[in-house]
């Protein structure tokens, strides 16, 4: 029997609602598999934890999480309790950076039966490879002076190593898919970092003559996600550009409530972390209508990266059969509750 030890962090808002749903699904997956079991330990790290303890996690929090095969996270953030930059840097971004989860993989494709927000979405299937450890997400900088004289300085950090790594992963992925990599740039406006990014992209492109590649400025590329998503394959972007593009990708998937993501540690020193693209959705908390599919599709990615590709594919097929038959939450225009969608997935896993 193979055991996967998973640290679950439901976090805030709808994270607390969808996490139990995904765990119910994973328990069923294990039962169907026969040779797999999960041991979950839940960690209460969240904005409520912050209000009690003055920090998003305890001093030994990272040490404890490091003992697990993977971290499974819901969503972090509740601006009514803790400012967003404090909650994100104290938990989500802390884990991404300290566990060296330098790559974030964010698929965007349309599941059967779901209406895209596009009138004619065709059959798009995109993977955003987001550099996940540096770029615009840097704590280097500061603020000086007061009142109208106040100045904020925020430094971007782009290393050749991490940039190359994200691009190499994008090319590897494209070689197993449609063979196209598109780079998100903004070298017309961002004077230092983006020409640097483009030079590295050209260098890596030259090493992959069998893969088609091209660059688009982030503004035009965001529009291209809307107008020509079926012409994209793998898209590689910096931390901020990848963040924005993955929300556009989620919108054309029908709702951010379905979009999954994997924060990957590549050197094996720390666990990877799996969490949906969306946040804590404060506007729908407590209504029982959060879409559980983002968290459940994320569970599919957790299985895949823990060596269980077959059952992972099976789970995605079951999710898609359920959406195809119209079991959808209100964000997708459906009338079903969160638990009803999950129940349907669990029923069909058992068949
Ligand atoms: N990775 C993360 O944990 C993460 C991601 C994004 C935002 N956040 C945080 O979440 C909080 C809210 O951020 P936001 O409003 O910008 O983004 P959000 O993703 O929480 O919500 C955006 C919109 O999408 C809807 N939505 C999100 N998840 C849904 C689901 N599962 N089912 C149905 N609808 C869903 C919400 O109702 C809302 O209308 C903030 O504190 C922010 O910092 C965290
Ligand atoms: O990375 C972020 O900025 C947090 C959230 O928006 C996300 O996409 O995970
Ligand atoms: K999330
Ligand atoms: Mn985001």
């Amino acid at each position: 029997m193979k055991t996967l030890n998973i640290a679950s962090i439901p976090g805030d808002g709808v994270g607390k609602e969808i996490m139990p749903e995904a765990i119910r699904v994973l328990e069923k997956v294990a039962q169907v598999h026969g040779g797999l079991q999960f041991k979950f330990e839940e960690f209460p790290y969240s904005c409520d934890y912050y209000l009690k303890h003055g920090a998003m996690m305890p001093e030994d929090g990272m040490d404890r999480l490091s003992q697990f095969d993977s971290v499974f996270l819901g969503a972090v953030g509740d601006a009514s309790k803790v400012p967003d930059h404090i909650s994100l840097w104290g938990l989500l971004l802390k884990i991404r950076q300290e566990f060296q989860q330098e790559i974030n993989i964010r698929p965007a494709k349309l599941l059967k039966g779901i209406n895209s927000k596009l009138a004619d979405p065709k059959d798009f299937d995109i993977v955003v490879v987001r550099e996940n450890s540096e770029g615009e997400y840097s704590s280097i900088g500061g603020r000086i002076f007061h009142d109208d004289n106040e100045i904020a300085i925020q430094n971007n950090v782009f290393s050749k190593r991490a940039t190359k790594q994200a691009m190499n992963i994008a090319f590897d992925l494209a070689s197993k898919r449609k063979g196209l990599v598109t780079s998100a740039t903004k070298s017309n406006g961002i004077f230092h970092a983006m020409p640097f990014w483009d030079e590295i992209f050209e260098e890596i492109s030259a090493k992959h003559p069998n893969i088609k590649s091209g660059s688009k400025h982030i503004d035009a590329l965001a529009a291209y996600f809307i107008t020509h998503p079926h012409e994209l394959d793998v898209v590689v972007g910096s931390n901020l550009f990848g963040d924005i593009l993955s929300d556009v990708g989620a919108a054309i998937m029908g709702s951010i409530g379905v979009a999954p993501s994997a924060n990957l540690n590549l050197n094996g020193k720390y666990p990877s972390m799996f969490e949906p693209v969306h946040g804590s959705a404060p506007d729908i908390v407590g209504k029982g209508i959060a879409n559980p599919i983002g968290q459940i599709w994320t569970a599919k990615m957790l299985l895949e990266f823990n060596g269980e590709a077959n059952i992972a594919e099976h789970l995605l097929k079951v999710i898609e059969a359920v959406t195809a038959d119209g079991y959808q939450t209100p964000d997708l225009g459906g009338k079903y509750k969160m638990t009803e969608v999950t129940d349907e997935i669990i029923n069909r896993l058992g068949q």
Side-chain angles (χ1 to χ4, degrees):
M1 182 70 76
K2 170 170 163 182
T3 303
L4 289 178
N5 291 301
I6 308 295
S8 84
I9 308 177
D12 297 298
V14 297
K16 291 193 186 115
E17 301 174 17
I18 53 179
M19 178 60 79
E21 300 301 288
I23 289 180
R24 287 205 287 141
V25 169
L26 281 172
E27 297 286 17
K28 185 71 193 184
V29 164
Q31 189 191 326
V32 169
H33 184 290
L36 177 67
Q37 64 176 354
F38 290 98
K39 286 203 178 132
F40 293 101
E41 186 174 335
E42 187 176 305
F43 293 84
Y45 308 157
S46 61
C47 290
D48 286 328
Y49 188 93
Y50 185 98
L51 291 185
K52 265 200 213 143
H53 304 278
M56 292 298 289
M57 64 162 73
E59 291 262 319
D60 66 347
M62 295 300 292
D63 274 350
R64 294 181 61 191
L65 295 176
S66 72
Q67 309 302 313
F68 290 81
D69 293 311
S70 290
V71 179
F72 194 35
L73 185 138
V76 182
D78 184 342
S80 72
K81 296 173 181 158
V82 182
D84 278 343
H85 67 290
I86 302 292
S87 60
L88 254 65
W89 276 91
L91 185 55
L92 183 73
L93 299 177
K94 184 179 170 76
I95 297 174
R96 285 183 188 161
Q97 294 193 350
E98 292 187 19
F99 282 177
Q100 300 172 12
Q101 295 163 349
E102 296 180 337
I103 295 293
N104 193 330
I105 303 283
R106 298 187 149 185
K109 72 172 191 163
L110 200 53
L111 297 183
K112 290 194 191 90
I114 293 184
N115 288 319
S116 169
K117 297 292 185 269
L118 301 177
D120 181 16
K122 302 210 174 75
D123 197 16
F124 67 85
D125 182 352
I126 304 170
V127 177
V128 175
V129 175
R130 171 184 181 184
E131 198 296 316
N132 208 37
S133 64
E134 51 172 46
E136 305 85 350
Y137 283 59
S138 130
S139 52
I140 300 175
R143 289 161 67 157
I144 50 168
F145 307 138
H146 296 289
D147 303 322
D148 282 352
N149 290 323
E150 189 168 9
I151 292 173
I153 292 181
Q154 173 83 48
N155 290 298
N156 292 347
V157 175
F158 284 82
S159 72
K160 194 157 196 176
R161 186 194 62 78
T163 305
K164 265 183 158 172
Q165 173 176 266
M167 291 172 180
N168 275 321
I169 286 190
F171 278 90
D172 277 357
L173 205 54
S175 72
K176 295 171 203 136
R177 293 170 45 94
K178 289 184 227 147
L180 170 67
V181 179
T182 305
S183 160
T185 185
K186 191 60 190 170
S187 47
N188 55 356
I190 308 297
F191 197 83
H192 296 293
M194 283 295 140
F196 177 72
W197 174 278
D198 288 358
E199 279 167 32
I200 299 171
F201 188 68
E202 272 174 33
E203 195 183 300
I204 306 287
S205 297
K207 290 195 176 133
H208 296 85
N210 297 328
I211 307 285
K212 277 187 283 171
S213 62
S215 285
K216 285 189 194 305
H217 292 302
I218 182 65
D219 45 355
L221 182 54
Y224 202 81
F225 264 62
I226 307 291
T227 56
H228 298 76
H230 55 285
E231 292 187 6
L232 292 165
D233 179 19
V234 179
V235 174
V236 62
S238 65
N239 211 334
L240 179 63
F241 292 172
D243 178 43
I244 295 168
L245 289 175
S246 55
D247 262 37
V248 181
I252 64 174
M253 292 165 84
S255 163
I256 195 168
V258 301
S261 96
N263 301 274
L264 299 180
N265 170 280
L266 301 169
N267 61 19
K269 290 187 185 160
Y270 303 100
S272 293
M273 172 166 67
F274 301 83
E275 44 130 11
V277 171
H278 68 76
S280 56
D283 52 331
I284 58 163
V285 168
K287 297 186 178 158
I289 56 165
N291 195 331
I293 290 182
Q295 191 81 40
I296 297 170
W297 191 342
T298 296
K300 178 259 175 186
M301 295 184 86
L302 181 152
L303 288 162
E304 189 183 332
F305 288 99
N306 279 288
E308 296 295 338
N310 288 342
I311 197 107
E313 275 316 312
H314 177 61
L315 173 57
L316 187 56
K317 287 214 175 77
V318 169
I319 295 171
E320 191 157 24
V322 165
T323 58
D325 286 345
Y327 293 91
Q328 297 179 15
T329 43
D331 53 312
L332 295 170
K335 62 178 186 342
Y336 288 87
K337 297 268 192 192
M338 170 183 75
T339 51
E340 292 172 323
V341 172
T342 313
D343 288 346
E344 196 55 34
I345 291 171
I346 290 172
N347 286 341
R348 292 182 190 214
L349 274 168
Q351 282 162 14

